[in-house]
Each structure stands twice: as C-alpha cells, then as structure tokens.
Amino acid sequence: MRWTLKPKAEKQKVQALQNDLQVDPIIATLLIQRGIETYDQAKQFFRPSLNDLHNPYLMKDMDKAVNRVEKAIKNNENILIFGDYDVDGTTAVSLVSSYLKTYYTNIATYIPDRYDEGYGISYKGIDFADDNGITLIIALDCGIKSIDHITYAKEKNIDFIICDHHRPGLILPDAVAVLDPKRDDCHYPYDELCGCGVGFKLIQALAKNRNQTIDDLLPYLDLVATAIAADIVPMTGENRILAKFGLEVINSNPRPGIKALIQNLKKKVLTITDVVFIIAPRINAAGRIKHGNYAVELLTEFDLPQAEEFASQIEIFNSDRKDLDKKITQEALQQIENNEEENNYTNVVYQEDWHKGVIGIVASRIIETHYKPTIVFTKSGDKLAASARSVKDFDIYNALEASAEHLEQFGGHMYAAGMTLNEGNYKVFKNKFEEVVKQTIPEHLRTPEITVDTEIDLNDINDKFFRILKQFEPFGPQNMTPVFISKNIRDTGYSKTLGKNEEHLRLFVKQNNSEGFAAIGFNLAKKINITLNQKSFEGLYSIDENEWNGTTTLQLKLRDIQ
C-alpha cells in the first residue's frame, strides 16, 4: 500500500482563509486542497444552493432539443424515452418519462435487453419505435457514438435527441439535438454530469418553457442523486448540488420505488455511500439478472403497495446477483492462478458460461486481489463480450484504443469500459492488451494508493471539528472523505481481532497525553503485531461516528497502519 500525502497548501492561503472563515488551519487546509480558496467559494461549498445550477440553455443544442419536444407535443406525436440498462440509464429514463407524463400522455419507455441487444441504442429499439408509430426518441446515457443507428432511424422518419455524457468520437450522430457537455464545441460550464444529469438539464429547460421553477423539479432529484452516486462522477460543481438536494429528498420524501427499497433499513438517515452500496446495486440488479424494465417500473410507480411488490422482486434479483458475482470471482481468480498469470501487468480472463450481467462487478473484485487493469470476458451470442475496470490514474480507454485492431467495438471512459470481439481474436487481443499496459503503466500505479489529506494530532479531534467535517458531505471523487495521518500513536492494550474470520482490527488509541479514541480497521487484523505491547505506530484514518447502546461517540476508521 502506497501512502501519498497531498501537497501542502500554501501557508499564506491557509492563513487568509482561516481568518476569513474563522476556522482552524486544518479545515482551511482541507478546503484549499479541494480548490476552495475564497470566502465566496467556501460559502458555495458549505451552503450549496439550487440557484447555483447553470442555465440549461448554455448547453449546445438545448434550444433545438426543447423545440423538437414541444413540436412533438403540439403535433400529438408518440415519444419514446430510451436509456441504458444500468443505474444511470434507468434513473434517466424514469426521470424524463415521469416528468413528461405530468403534462403529456403519449410517452413510452424502452430499455434494451442487456443480453439480446447489448449496450446503447439498438436496431431492435428503433424497429419497436417504428412499429408503434413513434416519431421522436430521446436517448439517455447512450447514443453519442451511434452514427449508423441514427441514420437507420432517419430513414424511417424517426428523429433522435441524444442526452449523453460519454466522450464523443470524431463524428457526431446526425440527430436533431446532441446534448453532451463533453462535446468539443459545447461551452457548458460543467462537463462532469452523468447521463441522468444531462436528462435533468433537459427537463430543467422544458420546465423553464412552462414557467416552472427549480422547486417544481425537486421531487426528481432522488433519481439524479442515485445516478450521480452510482456512476462515480466527480462530486463537484453541479453534481454536488444535485446530490446534496437529492439526498435530502431520499431522506425526507422519496418516490415510492425508492421508499420501498429503503424502508426496512435500520439506518434512518442515508449518506451518499449508502446510496452507492444499498440503493444502486438493487436498481442495477434488475438489468443484470432480468431486465432493466423492472427498475423503470419500480422508479416510476406512484402506488406504494405496488412499488413494494416490485421492490421485493428486485431484492430477489439482487440476492441472485450476489451469489453469481461471488462464484464467478472465485472461478476467475482460480483461472489466473492456473494460468500462472499472477505476475502479469493485466488480468484478462474468459469463461463462456459467466453471467454477462455481473462481469463488471467481478472485474472490480479481481482488482481487490490482483491490483492491475482487468478485463472479464464471457460468451454473448457468437461473440465475446467483456467489462473492463482500471486501477487509479491509469486510463484503460486509451489502452483499449491502442489494442482496438482486435476488437469489434468498445466504449467507455478512463476507469471502466465495455467491448466485444470475435472469439478467434481473444488470445491475440489478450497478448496485445498486456503488451500495451506493460509499456504504458508507470511502475508506481501498480501498487494501491491511499491519498492522505494532512497530518493531525489526536488532540485536534473533537465534536466541533467533526461537525465541520460533516459539512464537507456529500463525498465522492474530487471531494473524498478526508484521510488523516497521525504519528506516534499507541494502542492502550485493547487491541483485538474481530469478524467472522478474525479479519478486522479493534484498538483504543492515544497519542502522548491525548484523549483516547476507539479505532476500527477493516481487513487490518494481519497487522496486529504492529500495535502490540503499546509500541508506537503511524495510522491513516478517517473520522466516523459510532452508535452503541444509544450513545454516539467519535471513532477512527483506520485505512492502514505502519
């Protein structure tokens, strides 16, 4: 494990911000590390406001998109809301369809079948539109590279509006409007929206046309927050505003579908982490195990008893998904061992009967054991399909581009991608990908890294300090939970291991004459010797609350010790 200390913030900047905000230097340092250097920036950070959302018409083609939707409504056309089968796609379809249905009835939804049609816009989906007299398709979280599909639709007199957030290729599809903040010619002020976020900008623009305010759109933010959390986009700018207010909706007045998923949880106030690990996997499980339509049905159902029925179906899908990903991960790790590939620069594995719906999760799980760029292949029709996941700071999309001669198609971004190839090209692709990564990955990226914000003393930790840290939420990429380092800490003789397999570490630590803190280190039991006999050690940790018997105390959540 590599410990990397973030660069120290400039002393003068820390002092100035400290004086402006009347906070201690540690808080000022954490803010400056997150690009917050002035009173106004800090105010926006600590008090996000829906009024700070950008005008949706700043997005290239937004006027064209709105005009085409309004024309369709005026002419009584049938509109199809099309989206990908993952969380971002299904929440986006639920968002746009449920908004439009508040004032227009000729709305249908379509999620492609993960196995029969695969990712993105499908010919089958366009044929469905044609068969049902649909003349406008709004595609969400997909479509930016669907050049041929859009041409095919045009021949059938079907128009497309694309709302995507993936990197465009050299040529844009010939759609009526292409909304994608990553377009080179789009000067929208924030380009890290997820697909559902781009969908939200579309309904924000449509709402402006109807003299509705942002308050009228609040009920939709539970969907947007779920997509932001699941798609692991930066928790900055508009994403942070939308996630914060969306989380408030989830905790106070969620739509029946989300309420049905969370109402049996012991935890009463959910964080963005809970959305990532509790809500998102369940929504995803529908498309992975059965069909993404189940997720859209759940998220657009306004009758709670019916939503509860959908949710119990989805619980079963999620339970099946867990069993599958555990089994396939074990088989994949065994394959790496059998092939003696533990020392490779990449993990590339294939078995024809692996469930296509979980190979992305399996890729992430393999990385936990063998930390390197990973691709998991399975059989899909007469082709092989795969999901790829990367390690921190290594661009897997570029590595795939360099190996693209052996692929039929691929798409994705820096950390995750999908692809298909002909079975005969599997070995040659595997070798080429290994070669590309070997030549391009810097040596230090081959070891997992923990980024440390700053060094503090245990004496710096108190209720007031923690209260301010809580206001840094919601956490996510580019605004991660602060991780601190403290040196010369000692366990006071309480160190013990916990867990089913004794894999976790429980300590009670002090530093010189500081107050003591309970500390929990998940999967750190193997390092217990460092803590024995009151030896001093260094610890990396975040600060957390622990509830026990009705009492809440601060505890250290250890990331690593040495």
Side-chain angles (χ1 to χ4, degrees):
M1 191 65 80
R2 270 183 306 135
W3 296 12
T4 305
L5 204 57
K6 283 186 185 173
K8 275 201 162 139
E10 286 174 41
K11 237 181 181 152
Q12 288 158 304
K13 285 184 177 178
V14 171
Q15 211 140 24
L17 195 59
Q18 198 185 331
N19 295 338
D20 282 353
L21 301 180
Q22 296 296 298
V23 291
D24 74 28
I26 300 165
I27 297 294
T29 297
L30 293 172
L31 288 169
I32 286 165
Q33 286 171 332
R34 285 156 178 73
I36 295 145
E37 298 185 356
T38 66
Y39 178 87
D40 286 339
Q41 287 172 333
K43 189 181 169 196
Q44 264 193 330
F45 182 77
F46 284 124
R47 303 282 178 271
S49 163
L50 291 167
N51 296 327
D52 293 332
L53 293 175
H54 304 301
N55 178 347
Y57 283 98
L58 294 174
M59 196 176 288
K60 177 93 175 158
D61 280 3
M62 185 60 81
D63 50 345
K64 294 178 185 171
V66 169
N67 291 340
R68 183 63 187 88
V69 173
E70 297 298 4
K71 181 186 163 194
I73 291 170
K74 192 179 168 202
N75 294 340
N76 217 23
E77 293 177 56
N78 294 327
I79 303 174
L80 183 67
I81 316 299
F82 187 108
D84 192 24
Y85 40 67
D86 66 1
V87 177
D88 197 14
T90 52
T91 52
V93 167
S94 303
L95 170 92
V96 175
S97 65
S98 59
Y99 173 74
L100 286 173
K101 278 179 181 173
T102 59
Y103 57 83
Y104 188 62
T105 51
N106 297 1
I107 303 289
T109 61
Y110 191 96
I111 305 285
D113 184 287
R114 188 179 202 121
Y115 307 105
D116 178 33
E117 296 162 82
Y119 167 78
I121 294 167
S122 64
Y123 292 113
K124 199 170 177 180
I126 296 166
D127 289 343
F128 169 87
D130 191 34
D131 292 345
N132 288 279
I134 287 159
T135 45
L136 175 62
I137 298 177
I138 301 174
L140 296 144
D141 188 36
C142 59
I144 197 64
K145 286 187 168 178
S146 302
I147 317 287
D148 295 344
H149 292 89
I150 308 302
T151 306
Y152 178 76
K154 250 190 145 166
E155 288 162 6
K156 295 179 175 295
N157 295 318
I158 297 170
D159 284 339
F160 257 94
I161 293 169
I162 288 168
C163 305
D164 205 348
H165 70 119
H166 296 97
R167 289 189 211 173
L170 292 173
I171 303 164
L172 290 176
D174 187 16
V176 171
V178 179
L179 307 179
D180 187 337
K182 290 195 177 76
R183 278 178 69 165
D184 286 341
D185 58 349
C186 178
H187 304 299
Y188 188 72
Y190 188 70
D191 65 359
E192 295 294 353
L193 294 166
C194 61
C196 187
V198 178
F200 180 77
K201 298 314 290 188
L202 175 60
I203 72 164
Q204 197 188 346
L206 289 163
K208 260 183 183 257
N209 249 16
R210 305 198 121 58
N211 297 321
Q212 291 174 313
T213 67
I214 195 71
D215 292 337
D216 296 305
L217 302 180
L218 259 181
Y220 300 93
L221 292 184
D222 51 0
L223 293 170
V224 185
T226 301
I228 289 168
D231 229 50
I232 318 184
V233 286
M235 196 59 80
T236 55
E238 280 194 313
N239 282 342
R240 193 162 172 275
I241 298 169
L242 294 166
K244 181 182 163 44
F245 286 95
L247 205 50
E248 285 176 11
V249 176
I250 289 170
N251 282 313
S252 60
N253 190 23
R255 59 192 50 237
I258 288 179
K259 187 176 185 177
L261 288 178
I262 62 176
Q263 60 189 358
N264 297 326
L265 296 177
K266 287 191 179 75
K267 200 168 181 188
K268 288 302 160 233
V269 178
L270 301 188
T271 65
I272 212 80
T273 308
D274 298 317
V275 177
V276 172
F277 290 106
I278 297 168
I279 299 176
R282 284 163 172 76
I283 294 171
N284 241 336
R288 289 183 189 284
I289 302 300
K290 200 78 174 174
H291 200 290
N293 283 336
Y294 286 87
V296 175
E297 275 183 341
L298 173 77
L299 296 172
T300 54
E301 179 54 64
F302 287 97
D303 174 58
L304 185 60
Q306 184 60 59
E308 285 168 342
E309 254 180 66
F310 290 146
S312 63
Q313 259 180 339
I314 276 180
E315 274 305 327
I316 296 166
F317 300 151
N318 194 46
S319 165
D320 292 350
R321 186 271 308 167
K322 281 183 187 166
D323 294 344
L324 277 167
D325 85 52
K326 195 174 168 186
K327 174 179 167 286
I328 296 170
T329 300
Q330 285 166 348
E331 290 172 353
L333 290 171
Q334 192 59 53
Q335 191 178 115
I336 290 166
E337 201 180 307
N338 293 349
N339 294 345
E340 297 180 353
E341 292 171 343
E342 296 98 319
N343 297 323
N344 280 15
Y345 280 71
T346 61
N347 305 306
V348 179
V349 288
Y350 161 56
Q351 196 165 298
E352 64 174 28
D353 63 346
W354 284 343
H355 195 290
K356 193 177 168 191
V358 299
I359 54 177
I361 303 173
V362 170
S364 301
R365 296 254 194 274
I366 294 170
I367 289 174
E368 290 168 16
T369 305
H370 299 296
Y371 189 76
K372 52 192 88 164
T374 297
I375 306 179
V376 180
F377 279 92
T378 185
K379 193 85 185 260
S380 179
D382 58 350
K383 302 271 190 291
L384 302 194
S387 274
R389 295 290 181 270
S390 195
V391 296
K392 192 177 176 195
D393 294 334
F394 182 74
D395 193 326
I396 203 163
Y397 185 89
N398 288 347
L400 289 171
E401 213 157 31
S403 321
E405 66 203 272
H406 308 299
L407 293 172
E408 184 152 283
Q409 55 177 29
F410 72 100
H413 47 82
M414 181 169 178
Y415 288 120
M419 72 211 74
T420 56
L421 54 66
N422 289 316
E423 191 165 0
N425 287 341
Y426 170 70
K427 280 221 160 61
V428 61
F429 165 76
K430 179 173 174 166
N431 295 337
K432 175 70 175 175
F433 183 69
E434 168 75 11
E435 185 190 315
V436 167
V437 174
K438 187 175 182 177
Q439 286 168 357
T440 56
I441 193 166
E443 191 56 35
H444 66 279
L445 295 189
R446 300 183 67 210
T447 311
E449 176 191 49
I450 301 181
T451 307
V452 187
D453 288 82
T454 189
E455 183 179 344
I456 64 172
D457 292 332
L458 296 188
N459 274 332
D460 294 318
I461 302 168
N462 54 40
D463 288 336
K464 183 189 175 188
F465 181 69
F466 183 69
R467 269 201 311 276
I468 298 174
L469 280 188
K470 288 276 287 177
Q471 292 178 46
F472 279 57
E473 294 179 352
F475 295 122
Q478 294 177 34
N479 179 37
M480 299 301 273
T481 307
V483 174
F484 303 106
I485 182 170
S486 293
K487 296 175 179 174
N488 297 317
I489 54 179
R490 289 183 165 81
D491 174 65
T492 53
Y494 288 89
S495 62
K496 61 176 184 179
T497 56
L498 305 168
K500 200 162 68 176
N501 302 313
E502 301 287 319
E503 67 270 42
H504 310 312
L505 184 61
R506 177 88 177 159
L507 309 172
F508 192 82
V509 296
K510 284 189 168 186
Q511 184 185 42
N512 303 327
N513 57 356
S514 76
E515 195 186 323
F517 288 94
I520 179 86
F522 293 107
N523 298 309
L524 285 181
K526 55 188 173 294
K527 296 197 171 187
I528 191 168
N529 287 343
I530 294 171
T531 70
L532 297 176
N533 307 321
Q534 303 203 7
K535 289 190 295 238
S536 71
F537 59 91
E538 297 180 356
L540 299 190
Y541 57 87
S542 51
I543 304 166
D544 214 349
E545 281 178 313
N546 183 37
E547 282 183 49
W548 180 253
N549 287 342
T551 310
T552 303
T553 52
L554 296 182
Q555 74 169 2
L556 311 184
K557 195 171 170 188
L558 293 171
R559 302 297 178 90
D560 199 15
I561 56 175
Q562 67 179 26

